[in-house]
Amino acid sequence: MNDILKIEITGPVVMTIAVVVGVGTFLLLFLRPSSRWAMTAVLGISVAALVGWLTVWLVEDVMDVFHVGLTPRVWFWVITGFAALGLAIVTFRHSPRWRKVAAAISIPVFLLVTALGVNTEFGLNNTLGSALGIPTEDPIQLSKPNPDDPIPTGPLWQSWKPPANMPSQGKVGTQVIPATASGFNARPAGIYLPPAALTENPPKLPLYVLMMGQPGLPDPQYVAAALDDFAAKNNGLAPIVIVADQIGPDQDDTLCLDTATYGNVEKYINVDVVNWAKENLNILPDRDHWTIAGYSNGGQCAISFAVKYPKMWGNVVDISGEEFPGAEDPAGNLAEIFHGDQAAYDAQKPINIMKGKQFPDTTAVFTAGSDDVVYVAAAKAVSAAAKASGMTVTYYEVPNGGHVGIALNAGLVKGFEVLYPRLGLSR
């Protein structure tokens, strides 16, 4: 079963097959058409395409379900899918039995092709398991770190000599991080161990804690893909990564706070995850080598934790992050979480926390898709506040990255480009 869940559902091969099957099925319904049926089919396609356009418009522009703009390709896939379904539906009227059977078969085909197209455009669910919200990574074996191992006195790249049998790629898996202090109901965390960590005498490495979006999975594949490339250019060196779960199995926007509604999320990340990392991972102990990072919902969490716990986190990477906790529904969160106390809510906003404070030894990276209007505004506002508070700030817009996989992947890469020298992993 796990092998099935690991099936790749994105990429040119999958989409080429899907499009060929979809077009073939569409054309099958047009075999031997009568003039009356052809007119009915064209009418069905046209009406359904219009319904598809109206649906996307309502979802994006009126209801603002995703809180981000949908790309033209998403519009194309949805409208085309509706049009194909319109053809299938009208085919059931005044047609021979073979055409009705073909129409019945075509409906799940059209739905699947449309779903694959939209998912590929978003670029956030590469496997069947990921699309279904089911983790596919196996538990990863860890060796207990030796507290007596020496701490390098200079940048790691200067002293580290990789052995000849070092793996060419890192390893990913999962680990259950007990919520000892917080009691938060978290899903198993994703773990990435770089090639250097898989050697017989591994060096102590930087720690990188990443939180994904909401909804989403604590999936280590995205950060692993980026870091395998960096490790290949830097003698296998990369941070050890924990992809921690800040939203829980119910996929809630927990605001990354300790609340009666969603549990002690802030304590889980900054106490339970951190304590577990110290006990179970061969990591460098100082804040200069520790990074808190996140994408979208997780990006807001990352900057919030960086300014709340500056003695712990020396670096922060905020990829397409929200401006403040619960920014997608501030009125609802004000009422539900803060019971109408605006001052209490404002006190949790990173920009307000940074006012009047200085963070002179914190490196911060903020990224957003250039066409992701809402999140560009958030990134500009928070990065400006971070710069004013003394952080060393990098701001980067991913060209036409939207709020999808392109923005995530490019944001991860930009973050590592900035941090590798800071972490002692490259010149």
Side-chain angles (χ1 to χ4, degrees), residues 303-323:
I303 185 59
S304 289
F305 294 158
V307 297
K308 287 181 178 180
Y309 303 93
K311 293 183 179 179
M312 181 183 300
W313 305 109
N315 313 286
V316 56
V317 180
D318 180 346
I319 302 169
S320 302
E322 299 165 351
E323 183 177 336

Side-chain angles (χ1 to χ4, degrees), residues 134-152:
I134 303 173
T136 58
E137 301 301 330
D138 298 320
I140 193 169
Q141 297 298 315
L142 301 173
S143 299
K144 284 284 185 180
N146 184 353
D148 297 326
D149 283 347
I151 307 290

Side-chain angles (χ1 to χ4, degrees), residues 360-420:
D361 194 26
T362 296
T363 297
V365 181
F366 298 88
T367 72
S370 63
D371 51 350
D372 188 5
V373 179
V374 173
Y375 288 83
V376 163
K380 286 182 175 179
V382 181
S383 64
K387 189 173 183 178
S389 70
M391 295 187 192
T392 301
V393 172
T394 297
Y395 173 81
Y396 175 69
E397 291 184 12
V398 180
N400 301 314
H403 197 77
V404 292
I406 296 172
L408 168 60
N409 294 326
L412 286 168
V413 170
K414 174 56 68 173
F416 292 127
E417 286 178 358
V418 173
L419 289 179
Y420 249 66

Side-chain angles (χ1 to χ4, degrees), residues 85-416:
L85 289 171
L87 173 63
I89 291 170
V90 299
T91 299
F92 286 102
R93 292 177 54 84
H94 308 300
S95 62
R97 180 175 297 177
W98 72 266
R99 200 184 295 276
K100 288 183 173 68
V101 171
I105 294 172
S106 73
I107 289 176
V109 171
F110 294 150
L111 289 171
L112 179 60
V113 172
T114 301
L116 287 173
V118 171
N119 178 70
T120 297
E121 175 58 21
F122 274 92
L124 295 173
N125 297 302
N126 294 329
T127 65
L128 179 60
S130 180
L132 296 175
I134 303 173
T136 58
E137 301 301 330
D138 298 320
I140 193 169
Q141 297 298 315
L142 301 173
S143 299
K144 284 284 185 180
N146 184 353
D148 297 326
D149 283 347
I151 307 290
T153 56
L156 191 56
W157 66 266
Q158 290 182 334
S159 59
W160 167 245
K161 304 299 180 186
N165 62 348
M166 182 181 69
S168 59
Q169 292 184 312
K171 187 176 182 180
V172 295
T174 61
Q175 279 283 311
V176 173
I177 299 180
T180 307
S182 66
F184 177 63
N185 183 23
R187 294 168 293 179
I191 304 292
Y192 169 77
L193 299 178
L198 303 175
T199 58
E200 186 175 353
N201 296 299
K204 289 187 179 296
L205 293 166
L207 172 66
Y208 188 97
V209 176
L210 174 68
M211 294 163 286
M212 296 293 284
Q214 180 266 335
L217 289 171
D219 188 344
Q221 294 292 338
Y222 304 96
V223 70
L227 280 178
D228 273 346
D229 287 342
F230 276 87
K233 300 170 186 175
N234 293 280
N235 291 323
L237 293 175
I240 293 176
V241 180
I242 300 174
V243 186
D245 181 22
Q246 86 283 8
I247 61 176
D250 294 332
Q251 305 273 349
D252 295 314
D253 182 0
T254 64
L255 282 67
C256 274
L257 300 173
D258 293 341
T259 67
T261 304
Y262 298 117
N264 298 323
V265 182
E266 184 175 331
K267 184 177 290 185
Y268 175 70
I269 300 295
N270 296 281
V271 177
D272 289 324
V273 171
V274 167
N275 287 343
W276 182 88
K278 291 177 181 178
E279 294 172 4
N280 294 276
L281 301 176
N282 192 31
I283 54 175
L284 292 163
D286 59 295
R287 67 178 296 281
D288 289 354
H289 292 94
W290 283 26
T291 303
I292 187 74
Y295 162 66
S296 192
N297 177 277
Q300 182 285 125
C301 299
I303 185 59
S304 289
F305 294 158
V307 297
K308 287 181 178 180
Y309 303 93
K311 293 183 179 179
M312 181 183 300
W313 305 109
N315 313 286
V316 56
V317 180
D318 180 346
I319 302 169
S320 302
E322 299 165 351
E323 183 177 336
F324 55 84
E328 293 182 350
D329 183 20
N333 287 308
L334 174 62
E336 181 181 1
I337 305 301
F338 296 94
H339 310 293
D341 189 340
Q342 186 67 60
Y345 194 2
D346 290 343
Q348 297 295 335
K349 298 177 179 180
I351 290 177
N352 294 337
I353 296 173
M354 285 185 273
K355 285 180 180 177
K357 296 180 180 178
Q358 288 293 300
F359 304 85
D361 194 26
T362 296
T363 297
V365 181
F366 298 88
T367 72
S370 63
D371 51 350
D372 188 5
V373 179
V374 173
Y375 288 83
V376 163
K380 286 182 175 179
V382 181
S383 64
K387 189 173 183 178
S389 70
M391 295 187 192
T392 301
V393 172
T394 297
Y395 173 81
Y396 175 69
E397 291 184 12
V398 180
N400 301 314
H403 197 77
V404 292
I406 296 172
L408 168 60
N409 294 326
L412 286 168
V413 170
K414 174 56 68 173
F416 292 127

